[in-house]
Each structure stands twice: as C-alpha cells, then as structure tokens.
Amino acid sequence: TVLQELGAGELLALVLEPLRAKVAQMGLEENAAELIELLEMERAGQTSMLKNNKKHPKLHCIRKIMGRMSISGLVGIAGYSQNGTDFRDRLTGAVEKMRDQLR
C-alpha cells in the first residue's frame, strides 16, 4: 500500500496536519501540546520527500481520509510509522497524560 511505501518522516508529516486540525476543532490545543510536540520532534529527525510528492493522487486521497479520522486513529498511525519502542513508549505516555488532563 501507499502507507507502507512512505518513510517514517513522510507518514508523520501526513499525520500532523489533520491531527493539529482535529485538536484545534475540539479545543484541545493545551491538552495535546506535548503529544504534538513529540510528533513534531520525531518528524524533524526524519527525512521527508512529501514536498516533492504533493501532486501524487493517492496521497491526496490519504490526506482526505486522515482528515476524517479521530485523534486516536491518527496517533495509532503515528505509532505504526516508527520502529523504536522508545518512541512508542513516549507516544503512549503523551496520550495517557492528555487523557488524564481531560478527566
């Protein structure tokens, strides 16, 4: 699939835009700040070719689908994009912290 062909940085770049939009739409910017920051830092450490592939028709469809996804779905894709357990542990911690703040 197209998602499997993307590098980790590319997948994170795809996830971040709709995730930021969903968080803002729900008024959760403050609660999700650590989560967004973690994803941005991880993406910054990866190379991304998305700028060169913006016209790719399948990427347009993927962006559209991700725009309809829930925060947890987008975070799941972000976790899937990375191989290291350290990142996944930090991602889980950021999500748990966000959930605790919402209780």
Side-chain angles (χ1 to χ4, degrees):
T1 67
V2 175
L3 288 182
Q4 292 170 332
E5 294 172 11
L6 294 174
E10 294 167 325
L11 200 49
L12 286 175
L14 278 173
V15 166
L16 272 165
E17 185 179 334
L19 182 62
R20 282 190 201 103
K22 186 67 71 173
V23 163
Q25 176 187 8
M26 298 176 78
L28 300 174
E29 294 96 328
E30 190 176 312
N31 302 91
E34 185 177 327
L35 174 63
I36 299 289
E37 183 180 336
L38 172 64
L39 294 175
E40 287 174 343
M41 287 180 5
E42 190 68 22
R43 188 200 69 195
Q46 307 281 338
T47 55
S48 177
M49 302 288 284
L50 279 181
K51 290 180 183 175
N52 300 331
N53 291 329
K54 280 195 173 186
K55 303 231 185 259
H56 193 288
K58 288 184 180 179
L59 288 181
H60 173 73
C61 292
I62 290 171
R63 283 186 176 96
K64 218 170 154 181
I65 291 167
M66 285 185 174
R68 295 186 203 124
M69 292 177 73
S70 66
I71 291 173
S72 62
L74 293 166
V75 169
I77 291 175
Y80 166 80
S81 74
Q82 305 298 310
N83 291 327
T85 56
D86 178 53
F87 172 75
R88 288 186 182 151
D89 290 344
R90 290 183 293 139
L91 185 62
T92 301
V95 169
E96 289 302 318
K97 185 175 180 181
M98 185 175 119
R99 284 184 182 152
D100 289 344
Q101 292 172 352
L102 295 172
R103 290 183 191 163

Coordinates of all heavy atoms in Angstrom, one line a residue:
T1 N 0.8 -1.2 0.0 CA 0.0 0.0 0.0 C 0.9 1.2 0.0 O 2.1 1.2 0.3 CB -0.9 0.0 1.2 OG1 -0.1 0.2 2.4 CG2 -1.8 -1.2 1.3
V2 N 0.3 2.4 -0.2 CA 1.0 3.6 -0.3 C 1.6 3.9 1.1 O 2.7 4.4 1.2 CB 0.1 4.8 -0.7 CG1 0.8 6.1 -0.7 CG2 -0.4 4.5 -2.2
L3 N 0.8 3.7 2.1 CA 1.3 3.9 3.5 C 2.6 3.2 3.8 O 3.5 3.7 4.4 CB 0.3 3.6 4.6 CG -0.9 4.6 4.7 CD1 -1.8 4.2 5.8 CD2 -0.4 6.0 4.8
Q4 N 2.7 1.9 3.3 CA 3.8 1.1 3.6 C 5.0 1.6 2.8 O 6.2 1.3 3.2 CB 3.5 -0.4 3.2 CG 2.5 -1.0 4.2 CD 2.0 -2.3 3.7 OE1 2.0 -2.6 2.5 NE2 1.6 -3.2 4.7
E5 N 4.8 2.3 1.7 CA 5.9 2.8 0.9 C 6.5 4.1 1.4 O 7.6 4.4 1.1 CB 5.4 3.0 -0.5 CG 5.0 1.8 -1.3 CD 4.3 2.1 -2.6 OE1 4.4 3.2 -3.1 OE2 3.8 1.1 -3.2
L6 N 5.7 4.8 2.3 CA 6.2 6.0 2.8 C 7.2 5.8 3.9 O 7.2 4.8 4.7 CB 5.0 6.8 3.4 CG 4.0 7.3 2.4 CD1 2.8 7.9 3.2 CD2 4.6 8.3 1.4
G7 N 8.2 6.7 4.0 CA 9.1 6.7 5.1 C 8.5 7.2 6.4 O 7.4 7.8 6.4
A8 N 9.2 7.0 7.5 CA 8.6 7.4 8.8 C 8.4 8.9 8.9 O 7.3 9.3 9.4 CB 9.6 7.0 9.9
G9 N 9.3 9.7 8.4 CA 9.1 11.1 8.4 C 7.9 11.6 7.5 O 7.2 12.5 7.9
E10 N 7.7 10.9 6.4 CA 6.6 11.2 5.5 C 5.3 10.9 6.1 O 4.3 11.7 6.0 CB 6.8 10.5 4.2 CG 8.0 10.9 3.4 CD 8.3 10.0 2.2 OE1 8.2 8.7 2.4 OE2 8.8 10.5 1.2
L11 N 5.2 9.8 6.8 CA 4.0 9.4 7.4 C 3.6 10.3 8.6 O 2.5 10.7 8.8 CB 4.1 7.9 7.9 CG 2.8 7.2 8.2 CD1 1.8 7.3 7.1 CD2 3.1 5.7 8.5
L12 N 4.7 10.7 9.4 CA 4.4 11.6 10.5 C 4.0 13.0 9.9 O 3.1 13.6 10.5 CB 5.7 11.8 11.3 CG 6.0 10.6 12.3 CD1 7.3 10.9 13.0 CD2 4.8 10.4 13.3
A13 N 4.6 13.4 8.8 CA 4.1 14.7 8.2 C 2.7 14.6 7.8 O 1.9 15.6 7.9 CB 5.0 15.0 7.0
L14 N 2.3 13.5 7.2 CA 0.9 13.3 6.8 C -0.1 13.3 8.0 O -1.2 13.9 7.9 CB 0.7 12.0 6.1 CG 1.1 12.0 4.6 CD1 1.0 10.5 4.1 CD2 0.1 12.9 3.8
V15 N 0.3 12.8 9.1 CA -0.5 12.7 10.3 C -0.6 14.0 11.0 O -1.7 14.4 11.5 CB 0.1 11.6 11.3 CG1 -0.6 11.7 12.6 CG2 -0.1 10.2 10.7
L16 N 0.4 14.8 11.0 CA 0.5 16.0 11.9 C -0.6 17.0 11.4 O -1.2 17.7 12.3 CB 1.8 16.6 11.9 CG 2.7 16.1 13.0 CD1 4.2 16.5 12.7 CD2 2.3 16.6 14.3
E17 N -0.8 17.2 10.1 CA -1.7 18.3 9.7 C -3.1 18.0 10.1 O -3.8 18.8 10.8 CB -1.6 18.4 8.2 CG -2.5 19.5 7.6 CD -2.4 19.7 6.1 OE1 -1.4 19.3 5.5 OE2 -3.3 20.2 5.5
P18 N -3.7 16.8 9.9 CA -5.1 16.6 10.3 C -5.2 16.4 11.9 O -6.2 16.8 12.4 CB -5.5 15.3 9.6 CG -4.2 14.6 9.2 CD -3.2 15.7 9.0
L19 N -4.1 16.0 12.5 CA -4.1 15.9 14.0 C -4.2 17.3 14.6 O -5.0 17.5 15.5 CB -2.8 15.2 14.5 CG -2.8 15.0 16.0 CD1 -3.9 14.1 16.5 CD2 -1.4 14.3 16.3
R20 N -3.4 18.2 14.1 CA -3.5 19.6 14.6 C -4.9 20.2 14.3 O -5.4 20.8 15.2 CB -2.4 20.5 13.9 CG -1.1 20.4 14.4 CD -0.2 21.5 13.7 NE 1.2 21.1 13.8 CZ 1.9 20.6 12.8 NH1 1.4 20.5 11.6 NH2 3.2 20.3 12.9
A21 N -5.4 19.9 13.2 CA -6.8 20.4 12.9 C -7.8 19.9 13.8 O -8.7 20.6 14.3 CB -7.1 20.2 11.4
K22 N -7.7 18.6 14.0 CA -8.7 17.9 14.9 C -8.6 18.4 16.3 O -9.6 18.6 17.0 CB -8.5 16.4 14.8 CG -9.5 15.5 15.5 CD -10.9 15.6 14.9 CE -10.9 14.8 13.6 NZ -12.2 14.7 13.0
V23 N -7.4 18.5 16.8 CA -7.2 19.0 18.2 C -7.7 20.5 18.3 O -8.4 20.8 19.3 CB -5.6 19.0 18.5 CG1 -5.3 19.8 19.7 CG2 -5.2 17.5 18.7
A24 N -7.5 21.3 17.3 CA -8.0 22.7 17.3 C -9.5 22.7 17.3 O -10.2 23.5 18.0 CB -7.4 23.5 16.2
Q25 N -10.1 21.9 16.4 CA -11.5 21.8 16.3 C -12.2 21.4 17.6 O -13.3 21.9 17.9 CB -11.9 20.7 15.2 CG -13.3 20.5 15.0 CD -13.6 19.3 14.1 OE1 -12.7 18.6 13.6 NE2 -14.8 19.1 13.7
M26 N -11.5 20.6 18.4 CA -12.1 20.1 19.6 C -11.7 21.0 20.8 O -12.1 20.7 21.9 CB -11.7 18.6 19.9 CG -12.2 17.7 18.8 SD -11.7 16.0 19.0 CE -12.8 15.5 20.3
G27 N -10.9 22.0 20.6 CA -10.4 22.9 21.6 C -9.4 22.2 22.6 O -9.4 22.6 23.8
L28 N -8.6 21.3 22.1 CA -7.7 20.6 23.0 C -6.3 20.9 22.8 O -5.4 20.2 23.1 CB -7.9 19.1 22.7 CG -9.3 18.5 22.9 CD1 -9.3 17.0 22.5 CD2 -9.7 18.6 24.4
E29 N -6.0 22.1 22.2 CA -4.6 22.5 21.9 C -3.7 22.4 23.2 O -2.6 21.9 23.1 CB -4.6 24.0 21.4 CG -5.2 24.1 20.1 CD -6.6 24.6 20.1 OE1 -7.3 24.3 21.1 OE2 -7.0 25.4 19.2
E30 N -4.2 22.9 24.3 CA -3.4 22.9 25.5 C -3.1 21.5 26.0 O -2.0 21.1 26.4 CB -4.1 23.7 26.6 CG -3.2 24.0 27.8 CD -3.9 24.9 28.8 OE1 -4.4 25.9 28.4 OE2 -3.9 24.5 30.0
N31 N -4.2 20.7 25.9 CA -4.1 19.3 26.4 C -3.2 18.4 25.5 O -2.5 17.5 26.0 CB -5.4 18.6 26.5 CG -6.4 19.4 27.4 OD1 -7.1 20.3 27.0 ND2 -6.3 19.1 28.7
A32 N -3.2 18.7 24.2 CA -2.4 17.9 23.3 C -1.1 18.5 22.9 O -0.4 18.0 22.1 CB -3.3 17.7 22.0
A33 N -0.6 19.6 23.6 CA 0.6 20.2 23.3 C 1.8 19.3 23.3 O 2.7 19.2 22.4 CB 0.8 21.4 24.2
E34 N 1.9 18.5 24.3 CA 3.0 17.5 24.5 C 3.0 16.5 23.4 O 4.0 16.1 22.8 CB 3.0 16.8 25.9 CG 4.2 16.0 26.1 CD 4.1 15.4 27.5 OE1 3.6 16.0 28.5 OE2 4.6 14.2 27.7
L35 N 1.8 16.0 23.1 CA 1.7 15.0 22.0 C 2.1 15.5 20.7 O 2.9 14.9 19.9 CB 0.2 14.5 21.9 CG -0.2 13.6 20.8 CD1 0.6 12.3 20.9 CD2 -1.7 13.4 20.8
I36 N 1.7 16.7 20.3 CA 2.0 17.4 19.0 C 3.5 17.6 19.0 O 4.2 17.4 18.0 CB 1.2 18.7 18.8 CG1 -0.3 18.4 18.8 CG2 1.7 19.4 17.6 CD1 -0.8 17.7 17.6
E37 N 4.0 18.1 20.1 CA 5.5 18.4 20.2 C 6.3 17.2 20.0 O 7.3 17.2 19.2 CB 5.8 19.1 21.5 CG 7.3 19.5 21.6 CD 7.6 20.1 23.0 OE1 6.7 20.7 23.6 OE2 8.8 20.1 23.4
L38 N 5.9 16.1 20.6 CA 6.6 14.8 20.4 C 6.6 14.4 19.0 O 7.7 14.0 18.4 CB 6.0 13.7 21.3 CG 6.5 12.3 21.1 CD1 7.9 12.2 21.5 CD2 5.6 11.3 21.9
L39 N 5.5 14.5 18.3 CA 5.4 14.1 16.9 C 6.2 15.0 16.0 O 6.9 14.5 15.1 CB 4.0 14.0 16.4 CG 3.1 13.0 17.1 CD1 1.6 13.1 16.7 CD2 3.6 11.6 16.8
E40 N 6.2 16.3 16.3 CA 7.0 17.2 15.5 C 8.5 17.0 15.7 O 9.3 17.0 14.7 CB 6.7 18.7 15.9 CG 5.3 19.1 15.4 CD 4.9 20.5 15.9 OE1 5.5 21.0 16.9 OE2 4.0 21.1 15.3
M41 N 8.9 16.7 16.9 CA 10.3 16.5 17.1 C 10.8 15.2 16.4 O 11.9 15.1 15.8 CB 10.6 16.4 18.6 CG 10.6 17.7 19.3 SD 10.9 17.7 21.1 CE 11.4 16.1 21.6
E42 N 9.9 14.2 16.5 CA 10.3 12.9 15.8 C 10.3 13.1 14.3 O 11.2 12.6 13.6 CB 9.2 11.8 16.2 CG 9.6 10.4 15.7 CD 10.8 9.9 16.5 OE1 11.1 10.3 17.6 OE2 11.4 8.9 16.0
R43 N 9.4 13.8 13.8 CA 9.4 14.1 12.3 C 10.6 14.9 11.9 O 11.2 14.7 10.9 CB 8.1 14.9 11.9 CG 8.0 15.0 10.4 CD 7.1 16.1 9.9 NE 7.8 17.3 10.3 CZ 7.1 18.5 10.3 NH1 5.9 18.6 10.0 NH2 7.8 19.6 10.6
A44 N 11.0 15.9 12.7 CA 12.2 16.7 12.4 C 13.4 15.8 12.3 O 14.4 16.2 11.5 CB 12.4 17.8 13.5
G45 N 13.5 14.7 13.0 CA 14.6 13.8 12.9 C 14.6 12.9 11.8 O 15.5 12.1 11.6
Q46 N 13.6 12.9 11.0 CA 13.4 12.0 9.8 C 13.5 12.8 8.5 O 13.2 14.0 8.5 CB 12.0 11.4 9.9 CG 11.7 10.7 11.2 CD 12.4 9.3 11.3 OE1 12.7 8.7 10.3 NE2 12.5 8.9 12.5
T47 N 13.8 12.2 7.5 CA 13.8 12.9 6.2 C 12.4 12.7 5.5 O 11.7 11.7 5.8 CB 14.8 12.3 5.2 OG1 14.6 10.9 5.1 CG2 16.2 12.6 5.7
S48 N 12.0 13.7 4.8 CA 10.6 13.6 4.2 C 10.7 14.0 2.7 O 11.3 15.0 2.4 CB 9.7 14.5 4.9 OG 8.4 14.4 4.3
M49 N 10.1 13.3 1.9 CA 10.0 13.6 0.4 C 8.7 14.1 0.0 O 8.4 14.3 -1.1 CB 10.4 12.4 -0.4 CG 11.7 11.8 -0.1 SD 13.1 12.8 -0.7 CE 13.0 12.4 -2.4
L50 N 7.8 14.4 1.0 CA 6.4 14.7 0.7 C 6.3 16.0 -0.1 O 5.4 16.1 -0.9 CB 5.6 14.9 2.0 CG 5.1 13.6 2.6 CD1 4.2 13.9 3.8 CD2 4.3 12.8 1.6
K51 N 7.2 17.0 0.1 CA 7.1 18.2 -0.7 C 7.2 17.9 -2.2 O 6.6 18.6 -3.0 CB 8.2 19.2 -0.3 CG 8.0 19.7 1.1 CD 9.1 20.7 1.5 CE 8.9 21.1 2.9 NZ 9.9 22.0 3.4
N52 N 8.0 16.9 -2.5 CA 8.1 16.5 -3.9 C 7.0 15.7 -4.4 O 6.8 15.6 -5.6 CB 9.4 15.7 -4.1 CG 10.7 16.5 -3.7 OD1 10.7 17.7 -3.8 ND2 11.7 15.8 -3.3
N53 N 6.2 15.1 -3.5 CA 5.1 14.2 -3.9 C 3.7 14.8 -3.7 O 2.8 14.0 -3.8 CB 5.2 12.9 -3.1 CG 6.4 12.1 -3.5 OD1 6.9 12.1 -4.6 ND2 7.0 11.4 -2.6
K54 N 3.6 16.1 -3.5 CA 2.3 16.6 -3.2 C 1.3 16.4 -4.3 O 0.1 16.3 -4.0 CB 2.4 18.1 -2.9 CG 2.9 18.4 -1.5 CD 2.7 19.9 -1.2 CE 3.1 20.0 0.3 NZ 2.8 21.3 0.8
K55 N 1.7 16.2 -5.5 CA 0.7 16.0 -6.6 C 0.3 14.6 -6.8 O -0.5 14.3 -7.6 CB 1.3 16.6 -7.9 CG 1.6 18.1 -7.8 CD 1.0 18.8 -8.9 CE 1.5 20.3 -8.8 NZ 0.6 21.2 -8.3
H56 N 0.9 13.7 -6.0 CA 0.6 12.3 -6.1 C -0.9 12.0 -5.8 O -1.3 12.4 -4.7 CB 1.5 11.5 -5.2 CG 1.5 10.0 -5.4 ND1 0.4 9.2 -5.1 CD2 2.4 9.2 -6.0 CE1 0.7 8.0 -5.5 NE2 1.9 7.9 -6.0
P57 N -1.7 11.5 -6.7 CA -3.1 11.3 -6.4 C -3.5 10.5 -5.2 O -4.5 10.8 -4.5 CB -3.7 10.7 -7.7 CG -2.5 10.2 -8.4 CD -1.3 10.9 -7.9
K58 N -2.7 9.5 -4.9 CA -3.0 8.6 -3.8 C -2.8 9.4 -2.5 O -3.5 9.2 -1.5 CB -2.3 7.3 -3.8 CG -2.8 6.4 -4.9 CD -2.0 5.1 -4.9 CE -2.6 4.2 -6.0 NZ -1.9 2.9 -6.0
L59 N -1.8 10.2 -2.4 CA -1.5 11.0 -1.2 C -2.6 11.9 -1.0 O -3.0 12.2 0.2 CB -0.2 11.8 -1.4 CG 1.1 10.9 -1.3 CD1 2.3 11.8 -1.4 CD2 1.1 10.1 0.0
H60 N -3.2 12.5 -2.0 CA -4.4 13.4 -1.8 C -5.5 12.6 -1.1 O -6.2 13.1 -0.2 CB -4.9 13.9 -3.2 CG -6.1 14.7 -3.1 ND1 -6.2 15.9 -2.5 CD2 -7.4 14.4 -3.5 CE1 -7.4 16.4 -2.5 NE2 -8.2 15.4 -3.1
C61 N -5.8 11.4 -1.6 CA -6.8 10.6 -1.0 C -6.5 10.2 0.5 O -7.4 10.2 1.3 CB -7.0 9.3 -1.8 SG -7.7 9.5 -3.4
I62 N -5.3 9.9 0.7 CA -4.9 9.6 2.1 C -5.1 10.8 3.0 O -5.6 10.7 4.1 CB -3.4 9.1 2.1 CG1 -3.3 7.7 1.5 CG2 -2.9 9.0 3.5 CD1 -1.9 7.2 1.2
R63 N -4.7 12.0 2.5 CA -4.9 13.2 3.3 C -6.4 13.4 3.6 O -6.7 13.8 4.7 CB -4.3 14.4 2.6 CG -2.8 14.5 2.6 CD -2.4 15.9 2.0 NE -1.0 16.0 2.1 CZ -0.1 15.7 1.1 NH1 -0.5 15.2 0.0 NH2 1.2 15.8 1.3
K64 N -7.2 13.1 2.6 CA -8.6 13.3 2.8 C -9.2 12.3 3.9 O -9.9 12.7 4.7 CB -9.3 13.0 1.4 CG -10.4 13.9 1.1 CD -10.9 13.7 -0.3 CE -12.3 14.1 -0.5 NZ -12.8 13.9 -1.8
I65 N -8.7 11.1 3.8 CA -9.2 10.1 4.7 C -8.7 10.4 6.1 O -9.4 10.4 7.1 CB -8.7 8.7 4.3 CG1 -9.4 8.2 3.0 CG2 -8.8 7.7 5.4 CD1 -8.8 7.0 2.4
M66 N -7.4 10.8 6.2 CA -6.9 11.2 7.6 C -7.6 12.4 8.1 O -7.7 12.5 9.4 CB -5.4 11.5 7.5 CG -4.5 10.3 7.3 SD -2.8 10.7 7.3 CE -2.1 9.0 7.3
G67 N -8.1 13.3 7.3 CA -8.9 14.4 7.8 C -10.1 14.0 8.5 O -10.7 14.8 9.3
R68 N -10.6 12.8 8.2 CA -11.9 12.3 8.8 C -11.6 11.4 10.0 O -12.6 11.0 10.7 CB -12.7 11.5 7.7 CG -13.2 12.4 6.6 CD -14.0 11.5 5.7 NE -14.1 12.1 4.4 CZ -13.8 11.5 3.3 NH1 -13.4 10.2 3.3 NH2 -13.8 12.1 2.1
M69 N -10.4 11.1 10.2 CA -10.0 10.2 11.3 C -10.1 10.9 12.7 O -10.0 12.1 12.8 CB -8.6 9.6 11.1 CG -8.6 8.7 9.9 SD -6.9 8.1 9.6 CE -6.8 6.9 10.9
S70 N -10.2 10.0 13.7 CA -10.2 10.5 15.1 C -8.8 10.7 15.5 O -7.8 10.3 14.9 CB -10.8 9.4 16.0 OG -10.0 8.3 16.0
I71 N -8.6 11.4 16.6 CA -7.3 11.7 17.2 C -6.6 10.3 17.5 O -5.5 10.2 17.2 CB -7.4 12.5 18.5 CG1 -7.8 14.0 18.1 CG2 -6.1 12.5 19.3 CD1 -8.1 14.9 19.3
S72 N -7.3 9.4 18.1 CA -6.7 8.1 18.4 C -6.3 7.4 17.2 O -5.3 6.7 17.2 CB -7.7 7.3 19.3 OG -8.9 7.0 18.6
G73 N -7.1 7.4 16.1 CA -6.7 6.8 14.9 C -5.4 7.4 14.3 O -4.6 6.7 13.8
L74 N -5.3 8.7 14.3 CA -4.1 9.4 13.8 C -2.9 9.0 14.7 O -1.8 8.8 14.1 CB -4.4 10.9 13.7 CG -5.4 11.3 12.7 CD1 -5.8 12.8 13.0 CD2 -4.9 11.1 11.3
V75 N -3.1 9.0 16.0 CA -2.0 8.7 16.9 C -1.6 7.2 16.6 O -0.4 6.9 16.6 CB -2.4 8.9 18.3 CG1 -1.4 8.3 19.3 CG2 -2.5 10.4 18.6
G76 N -2.5 6.3 16.3 CA -2.2 4.9 16.0 C -1.3 4.8 14.8 O -0.4 4.1 14.7
I77 N -1.6 5.6 13.8 CA -0.8 5.6 12.5 C 0.6 6.2 12.8 O 1.6 5.6 12.3 CB -1.5 6.4 11.4 CG1 -2.7 5.7 10.9 CG2 -0.5 6.7 10.3 CD1 -3.6 6.4 9.9
A78 N 0.6 7.2 13.7 CA 1.9 7.8 14.0 C 2.8 6.7 14.7 O 4.0 6.6 14.5 CB 1.8 9.0 14.9
G79 N 2.2 5.9 15.6 CA 2.9 4.9 16.3 C 3.3 3.8 15.4 O 4.4 3.2 15.5
Y80 N 2.5 3.5 14.4 CA 2.8 2.4 13.4 C 4.0 2.9 12.6 O 4.8 2.0 12.1 CB 1.6 2.2 12.6 CG 1.8 1.4 11.3 CD1 1.9 0.1 11.3 CD2 1.9 2.1 10.1 CE1 2.1 -0.7 10.1 CE2 2.1 1.4 8.9 CZ 2.2 0.0 8.9 OH 2.5 -0.7 7.8
S81 N 4.1 4.2 12.4 CA 5.2 4.7 11.5 C 6.6 4.5 12.0 O 7.5 4.6 11.2 CB 4.9 6.2 11.2 OG 5.3 7.0 12.3
Q82 N 6.7 4.3 13.3 CA 8.1 4.2 13.9 C 8.3 2.8 14.4 O 7.5 2.1 14.9 CB 8.1 5.2 15.1 CG 7.8 6.6 14.8 CD 8.7 7.2 13.7 OE1 9.9 7.1 13.9 NE2 8.1 7.8 12.7
N83 N 9.6 2.4 14.3 CA 10.0 1.1 14.7 C 10.4 1.0 16.1 O 10.3 0.0 16.7 CB 11.2 0.6 13.8 CG 10.7 0.3 12.4 OD1 9.6 -0.1 12.2 ND2 11.6 0.6 11.4
G84 N 11.0 2.1 16.7 CA 11.5 2.0 18.0 C 10.5 2.0 19.1 O 9.5 2.7 19.1
T85 N 10.7 1.1 20.1 CA 9.8 1.1 21.3 C 9.9 2.3 22.1 O 9.0 2.7 22.8 CB 10.1 -0.2 22.1 OG1 11.4 -0.2 22.5 CG2 9.7 -1.4 21.3
D86 N 11.1 3.0 22.1 CA 11.2 4.2 22.9 C 10.2 5.3 22.4 O 9.6 5.9 23.3 CB 12.7 4.7 22.7 CG 12.9 6.0 23.5 OD1 12.6 6.1 24.7 OD2 13.3 7.0 22.9
F87 N 10.1 5.5 21.1 CA 9.1 6.4 20.6 C 7.7 6.0 21.0 O 6.9 6.8 21.4 CB 9.3 6.6 19.1 CG 8.2 7.4 18.5 CD1 8.2 8.8 18.7 CD2 7.1 6.8 17.8 CE1 7.1 9.6 18.2 CE2 6.1 7.6 17.3 CZ 6.1 9.0 17.5
R88 N 7.4 4.8 20.8 CA 6.0 4.3 21.1 C 5.7 4.5 22.6 O 4.6 4.8 22.9 CB 5.9 2.9 20.7 CG 5.8 2.7 19.2 CD 5.5 1.3 18.7 NE 5.5 1.2 17.3 CZ 5.9 0.2 16.6 NH1 6.2 -0.9 17.3 NH2 5.8 0.2 15.3
D89 N 6.7 4.2 23.4 CA 6.5 4.4 24.9 C 6.3 5.9 25.2 O 5.4 6.2 26.0 CB 7.7 3.9 25.7 CG 7.9 2.4 25.7 OD1 6.9 1.7 25.3 OD2 9.0 1.9 26.0
R90 N 7.0 6.8 24.6 CA 6.8 8.2 24.8 C 5.5 8.7 24.2 O 4.8 9.5 24.8 CB 8.0 9.0 24.2 CG 9.3 8.8 24.9 CD 10.4 9.7 24.4 NE 10.8 9.2 23.0 CZ 11.0 10.0 22.0 NH1 11.0 11.3 22.1 NH2 11.4 9.4 20.8
L91 N 5.1 8.1 23.1 CA 3.8 8.4 22.5 C 2.7 8.0 23.4 O 1.7 8.7 23.7 CB 3.7 7.7 21.1 CG 2.5 8.1 20.3 CD1 2.4 9.5 19.9 CD2 2.5 7.2 19.0
T92 N 2.8 6.8 23.9 CA 1.8 6.3 24.8 C 1.7 7.2 26.1 O 0.6 7.5 26.6 CB 2.1 4.8 25.2 OG1 2.1 4.0 24.1 CG2 1.1 4.3 26.2
G93 N 2.8 7.6 26.6 CA 2.9 8.4 27.8 C 2.2 9.8 27.5 O 1.4 10.3 28.3
A94 N 2.5 10.3 26.3 CA 1.8 11.6 26.0 C 0.3 11.5 25.8 O -0.4 12.4 26.3 CB 2.5 12.2 24.7
V95 N -0.1 10.4 25.3 CA -1.6 10.2 25.1 C -2.2 10.0 26.5 O -3.3 10.6 26.8 CB -1.8 9.0 24.2 CG1 -3.3 8.6 24.2 CG2 -1.4 9.3 22.8
E96 N -1.6 9.2 27.3 CA -2.1 9.0 28.7 C -2.2 10.3 29.5 O -3.2 10.6 30.2 CB -1.3 8.0 29.4 CG -1.5 6.6 28.9 CD -2.9 6.1 29.0 OE1 -3.6 6.3 30.0 OE2 -3.3 5.5 28.0
K97 N -1.2 11.1 29.3 CA -1.2 12.4 30.0 C -2.3 13.3 29.5 O -3.0 14.0 30.3 CB 0.2 13.1 29.8 CG 0.3 14.4 30.6 CD 1.7 15.0 30.4 CE 1.8 16.3 31.2 NZ 3.2 16.9 31.0
M98 N -2.5 13.3 28.2 CA -3.6 14.1 27.6 C -5.0 13.6 28.2 O -5.8 14.3 28.5 CB -3.6 14.0 26.1 CG -4.6 14.8 25.4 SD -4.4 14.7 23.6 CE -6.0 14.1 23.2
R99 N -5.1 12.2 28.2 CA -6.4 11.7 28.7 C -6.6 12.0 30.2 O -7.7 12.4 30.6 CB -6.3 10.1 28.6 CG -6.6 9.7 27.2 CD -6.6 8.2 27.1 NE -6.8 7.7 25.8 CZ -6.4 6.6 25.3 NH1 -5.8 5.7 26.1 NH2 -6.6 6.2 24.1
D100 N -5.5 12.0 31.0 CA -5.6 12.4 32.4 C -6.1 13.8 32.6 O -6.8 14.1 33.5 CB -4.3 12.1 33.1 CG -4.0 10.6 33.3 OD1 -4.9 9.8 33.2 OD2 -2.8 10.3 33.6
Q101 N -5.6 14.7 31.7 CA -5.9 16.1 31.8 C -7.4 16.3 31.4 O -8.0 17.3 31.9 CB -5.1 16.9 30.8 CG -3.6 17.0 31.3 CD -2.8 17.7 30.2 OE1 -3.2 18.0 29.1 NE2 -1.5 17.9 30.6
L102 N -8.0 15.4 30.7 CA -9.4 15.6 30.2 C -10.4 15.0 31.2 O -11.6 15.2 31.1 CB -9.6 15.0 28.8 CG -8.8 15.6 27.7 CD1 -8.9 14.8 26.4 CD2 -9.3 17.0 27.5
R103 N -9.9 14.3 32.2 CA -10.8 13.6 33.2 C -11.2 14.6 34.2 O -10.7 15.6 34.6 CB -10.1 12.5 33.8 CG -9.9 11.3 32.9 CD -9.3 10.1 33.6 NE -9.0 9.2 32.5 CZ -8.2 8.2 32.7 NH1 -7.6 8.0 33.9 NH2 -7.9 7.4 31.8

